[in-house]
Amino acid sequence: MPGAVAALTRAQLRAHRILGTGLARTTAAPDQLPVWELGIQDRDGSSRLAIATRLADPAAIGSVDEPGGTGGPVLLWSLRGAPHLHRRADAARFAAALWPADDVDAAARLSGDAGRLHSDGADPLQAYRVVSGAMRQVITAATVKGAASAAVTAAIPARYSGFCRGCGSVHVREMLFRVAALPAAIGLVPGTKPVVLEPLSHQYPPPPAGRSGAQRLDDLVTGYYRLYGTGTAAEVATHLGTSAKSIRESMPADLVTVAVDGTRTLASAAIVDRLAGADIEAATGLVRLLPPADPLLQPRDRAVLAPDHAAQKELWPILGSPGAVLAGGEIAGSWRTRASGRSLTVTVTPWRKLAKDERTALQSEAELVGTIRGAARTQLVVTD
């Protein structure tokens, strides 16, 4: 990297991200939230809380149609093959942007499945094309994932399938199945266990047959820098589910090196002054209970939010992530819920002593969690 042209603090960058992802609650209409730029990852319905906690009136979440309707957002396997909520009008744009540019890009998106496909003599990009085409043909109505996978497996060459220890059967490779769904215009029915797949009500054409026609990731990369301010090529690529090499041509032309509390990274020159002038005081006054996988928690430079390594391990474990407590312009702890009938207990584990006004605000935030979860009664417990 070239010499740093600007020095920023983690507090400035946190403030930019807190306010830039809409947590100040200045937006009235759900579809106008800035976090739609990259979609909202969903874990067991967590996207609804991520939306509600950003609205000027959290009750406006009730105006959001359930995904799968005709006008509301849709739930898709998109970035990293993970379920994300997207505005319906954005589905085709994401499908085009996330179509691999070449075999290297396809292999990066398929993660561990790429090596298995290569071992079976399969071409990663061709695997995308074949499986996506098969999904369009055989998934014509709402179908439970297991049945959908079996139908696709029967319709494709054997080299695109493998033995799954989890279910003890041979079926289409899991990551391949996931990433091929979006270009096939196949979405997910929210709140279903097991997962149910269904064709989107608004279909769009498959990606072009020629590799040269693949759309680059320019818009999504630019969106990442607009939303999060900074990031290395590797961090941005990981968020989008590919490799740094594959996004090289999509990196903004005006990137400059900045130092965030001494750690070098990249930012768009156009917003460096905005990052340096982020309203730390406004961000410091906010208290929120963020769901697991909330947009604020997505960037891979996790030390910006949680400089302490032990805090990072607590907030981003391999399995079973908790929610995050935003207070004082920083992540101040974690939280989990426990349901009993129609009662919900929200347990907050702070990483520092919480001020009286912060505890008072947490009570209201816990009530919001309960409302989103459909609880009749909500209790807040703060461990000391």
Side-chain angles (χ1 to χ4, degrees):
M1 289 185 182
V5 300
L8 302 172
T9 65
R10 289 193 183 106
Q12 289 171 322
L13 188 52
R14 282 197 300 268
H16 170 82
R17 292 180 179 180
I18 290 168
L19 301 175
T21 59
L23 286 165
R25 290 180 178 160
T26 58
T27 304
D31 65 349
Q32 296 303 309
L33 290 170
V35 288
W36 292 116
E37 184 106 58
L38 296 172
I40 307 169
Q41 187 172 346
D42 186 86
R43 290 185 181 175
D44 297 324
S46 66
S47 58
R48 289 185 65 79
L49 178 58
I51 294 171
T53 201
R54 288 171 164 79
L55 296 174
D57 177 8
I61 186 67
S63 68
V64 177
D65 291 344
E66 286 293 334
T70 58
V74 289
L75 190 60
L76 308 169
W77 277 323
S78 59
L79 304 182
R80 308 177 303 281
H84 282 68
L85 203 63
H86 293 278
R87 289 178 296 199
R88 186 172 299 273
D90 291 338
R93 177 172 68 88
F94 274 85
L98 295 178
W99 184 258
D102 51 34
D103 274 332
V104 173
D105 191 13
R109 295 173 186 282
L110 289 169
S111 188
D113 276 355
R116 301 180 186 100
L117 287 167
H118 278 304
S119 296
D120 291 336
D123 173 283
L125 186 56
Q126 182 65 10
Y128 255 86
R129 188 167 289 116
V130 170
V131 174
S132 179
M135 293 182 82
R136 278 183 183 267
Q137 291 181 351
V138 304
I139 304 176
T140 58
T143 309
V144 173
K145 182 186 175 187
S149 176
V152 171
T153 301
I156 61 176
R159 61 182 176 275
Y160 301 137
S161 301
F163 179 74
C164 173
R165 293 180 181 178
C167 63
S169 65
V170 173
H171 57 67
V172 57
R173 298 288 183 186
E174 175 66 18
M175 183 59 80
L176 176 58
F177 184 64
R178 286 174 174 249
V179 298
L182 178 56
I186 301 295
L188 310 175
V189 178
T192 54
K193 288 187 177 181
V195 172
V196 174
L197 286 71
E198 67 174 356
L200 299 180
S201 57
H202 173 66
Q203 294 282 304
Y204 40 78
R211 298 183 183 188
S212 61
Q215 178 176 328
R216 294 191 303 171
L217 287 164
D218 301 43
D219 288 347
L220 299 189
V221 173
T222 299
Y224 183 97
Y225 281 106
R226 190 158 44 232
L227 200 61
Y228 296 123
T230 64
T232 65
E235 288 165 349
V236 178
T238 298
H239 182 85
L240 300 181
T242 186
S243 66
K245 180 179 180 180
S246 295
I247 69 166
R248 185 174 299 155
E249 294 184 5
S250 296
M251 296 290 277
D254 69 339
L255 286 181
V256 294
T257 301
V258 297
V260 181
D261 281 351
T263 300
R264 290 191 172 194
T265 185
L266 300 172
S268 168
I271 68 167
V272 169
D273 288 343
R274 195 185 316 163
L275 296 175
D279 194 340
I280 296 176
E281 183 177 356
T284 300
L286 305 179
V287 176
R288 304 285 186 264
L289 290 178
L290 307 178
D294 185 87
L296 184 65
L297 307 177
Q298 290 293 315
R300 268 29 185 196
D301 52 353
R302 291 169 173 173
V304 171
L305 288 181
D308 182 70
H309 184 64
Q312 292 180 29
K313 290 182 65 176
E314 179 179 340
L315 204 56
W316 293 284
I318 296 176
L319 295 173
S321 296
V325 179
L326 175 66
E330 62 183 1
I331 300 301
S334 62
W335 64 275
R336 295 184 183 273
T337 60
R338 179 174 54 83
S340 178
R342 294 200 64 200
S343 296
L344 186 74
T345 300
V346 178
T347 301
V348 168
T349 303
W351 297 341
R352 61 167 171 79
K353 184 175 178 59
L354 298 174
K356 183 178 180 180
D357 61 336
E358 291 175 331
R359 287 175 175 258
T360 299
L362 281 175
Q363 183 62 55
S364 296
E365 299 306 308
E367 292 291 342
L368 175 59
V369 173
T371 298
I372 295 299
R373 299 282 182 88
R377 296 167 296 279
T378 302
Q379 177 185 14
L380 172 67
V381 175
V382 179
T383 63
D384 292 316

